[in-house]
Amino acid sequence: MAPTIDMEARFLDYVTAENKVEPKDWMPEGYRKTLVRQISQHAHSEIVGMLPEANWITRAPSLRSKLILLAKVQDEAGHGLYLYSAAETLGTSRDEMIADLHSGKAKYSSIFNYPTLSWADMGAIGWLVDGAAIQNQVMLCRASYGPYSRAMVRICKEESFHQRQGYEIMLHLAKGTQEQKDMAQDALNRWWWPSLMMFGPSDDNSPNSAQSMAWRIKRKSNDELRQEFVDKTVPQAKFLGLSIPDADLRWNEALGQHDFGSIDWNEFFAVVAGNGPCNSERIEARRKAHAEGAWVREAASAYAAKQAARRSSAAATKPQAA
Ligand code: 3HC
């Protein structure tokens, strides 16, 4: 059925009244497309996001820290799976989404294209990257699309654990020897600006925000969320005794928030375009993992086909009730 202006207007009223949209409900094609774009990018970010941290599982400094990091990386895999499932309810298959990631057509978060050089990076990622993710994602628990909003509730709970895991590592290093403190500061210096970039381009350069906010997918703009993150994180850095690498950072009494320096948008757009320090390494690692996992997918499909054949032959031979 061709959509009418009236249907689009009724849809807008429906989501404005805070109703949830479910997979079989009518929705504007643009809404469906935006959701597939955002949810699949989000899923890819979770899966690619496992790589920088997985790099440190074998080098964690204690059994305790190794177990926690392992659990965290496994959580990210789970988040990817919930999100791919949510996107599939909109009619796009997981195979299509993964093919787009591997061909370089699909985007994923810029942040995962930076290298992890020391154990302190596990702290900075948990504290800043997962911290920024929570700042952005809590609002998504109220997204108008039911399957996405429900997936986000669990994801956000797990992200809070990740943020604390990272902050605990930073706390440990910041209260340690001078060498450990230097490692923590170095990690903060390298991860601060890329973490601010995670929120996306500034509001005047964000083509999707206005429509996504009208459809109640996003609730706050990229700049609002970035500001909230800065205001929340500055006191945490102070508590650690570390300095945020921004000479222009200062409290603005009149506005009741921090002013901060300019973001290097050339760097952001270069990373998003595939030219960050680790883009090709990340995609290559995902392609390799996919190829090496082919036998698992084949075995699972063969098993499912065998079970289905058994069920249908059992149904065919079942005596009919008199
Ligand atoms: N990295 C890569 N691309 C980005 C980006 C980033 N940090 N920020 C924005 N972009 C892209 C957008 O995807 C969009 O490209 P497209 O139109 O081709 O899809 C373009 O830049 C313009 O940006 P907009 O602001 O117009 O786009 P959105 O309205 O979609 O806002 C967003 C971008 C804030 C990232 C939003 O999509 C969002 O909230 N997504 C869900 C959360 C998410 O994906 N987070 C990834 C973080 S990592 C993570 O969650 C893993 C955790 O374990 C740490």
Side-chain angles (χ1 to χ4, degrees):
M1 184 180 29
T4 61
I5 307 255
D6 185 42
M7 283 165 90
E8 303 242 354
R10 275 170 50 198
F11 180 84
L12 196 58
D13 287 346
Y14 183 79
V15 290
T16 306
E18 300 296 341
N19 293 299
K20 291 279 182 238
V21 180
E22 296 299 337
K24 290 187 176 158
D25 294 344
W26 183 86
M27 60 186 86
E29 261 326 287
Y31 178 82
R32 185 186 300 277
K33 256 178 137 171
T34 281
L35 281 170
V36 171
R37 178 187 66 78
Q38 176 166 328
I39 303 173
S40 63
Q41 285 178 6
H42 192 169
H44 299 324
S45 303
E46 299 282 354
I47 297 298
V48 176
M50 295 166 72
L51 297 169
E53 292 172 284
N55 187 35
W56 280 88
I57 291 172
T58 53
R59 291 180 276 166
S62 68
L63 180 59
R64 178 180 180 273
S65 54
K66 188 187 189 100
L67 283 171
I68 298 173
L69 187 60
L70 254 178
K72 182 188 171 197
V73 173
Q74 284 173 347
D75 283 351
E76 311 293 0
H79 298 175
L81 297 184
Y82 315 148
L83 291 165
Y84 282 130
S85 301
E88 281 184 307
T89 64
L90 292 153
T92 302
S93 75
R94 191 175 305 190
D95 284 347
E96 282 172 81
M97 291 184 263
I98 289 176
D100 284 350
L101 173 68
H102 293 173
S103 70
K105 188 173 159 205
K107 292 194 170 88
Y108 58 89
S109 185
S110 49
I111 193 74
F112 300 118
N113 293 305
Y114 291 85
T116 43
L117 306 180
S118 78
W119 174 252
D121 288 16
M122 297 305 98
I125 289 181
W127 171 36
L128 302 175
V129 175
D130 292 86
I134 298 171
Q135 195 66 45
N136 167 251
Q137 291 171 18
V138 164
M139 68 170 177
L140 299 175
C141 299
R142 292 189 295 128
S144 55
Y145 189 57
Y148 190 29
S149 69
R150 291 189 285 274
M152 289 315 301
V153 171
R154 178 152 174 189
I155 290 175
C156 284
K157 284 186 184 157
E158 292 178 350
E159 295 294 4
S160 311
F161 148 62
H162 300 171
Q163 196 270 352
R164 279 157 204 224
Q165 170 260 2
Y167 198 70
E168 190 196 63
I169 294 175
M170 293 305 271
L171 202 52
H172 193 85
L173 295 174
K175 306 264 172 261
T177 62
Q178 189 56 46
E179 202 181 341
Q180 287 174 314
K181 239 183 250 175
D182 293 345
M183 269 170 69
Q185 182 63 55
D186 172 59
L188 170 56
N189 292 348
R190 285 179 292 106
W191 290 95
W192 176 252
W193 291 104
S195 299
L196 296 195
M197 293 175 196
M198 278 176 74
F199 294 94
S202 51
D203 292 351
D204 52 9
N205 205 11
S206 162
N208 302 300
S209 281
Q211 182 62 77
S212 291
M213 287 167 81
W215 276 331
R216 299 288 197 269
I217 298 170
K218 280 168 89 159
R219 301 283 174 153
K220 292 182 181 179
S221 76
N222 299 355
D223 285 335
E224 272 178 87
L225 291 163
R226 191 168 10 246
Q227 182 69 53
E228 287 176 6
F229 174 73
V230 170
D231 292 335
K232 212 172 261 181
T233 311
V234 169
Q236 295 170 355
K238 215 170 267 175
F239 186 78
L240 293 171
L242 300 177
S243 327
I244 290 184
D246 178 356
D248 297 323
L249 182 72
R250 58 183 59 83
W251 178 249
N252 182 325
E253 193 63 48
L255 294 178
Q257 63 186 36
H258 291 87
D259 291 335
F260 55 93
S262 322
I263 291 174
D264 181 349
W265 293 115
N266 290 334
E267 175 180 326
F268 170 77
F269 287 114
V271 175
V272 173
N275 302 317
C278 300
N279 295 62
S280 43
E281 189 185 318
R282 298 291 183 241
I283 290 299
E284 202 36 54
R286 285 312 315 154
R287 286 197 195 119
K288 183 167 177 281
H290 192 71
E292 289 175 354
W295 70 272
V296 179
R297 293 189 296 280
E298 281 161 21
S301 304
Y303 180 74
K306 200 159 114 188
Q307 293 296 101
R310 275 206 191 132
R311 273 195 303 274
S312 71
S313 85
T317 55
K318 199 172 161 193
Q320 299 294 312

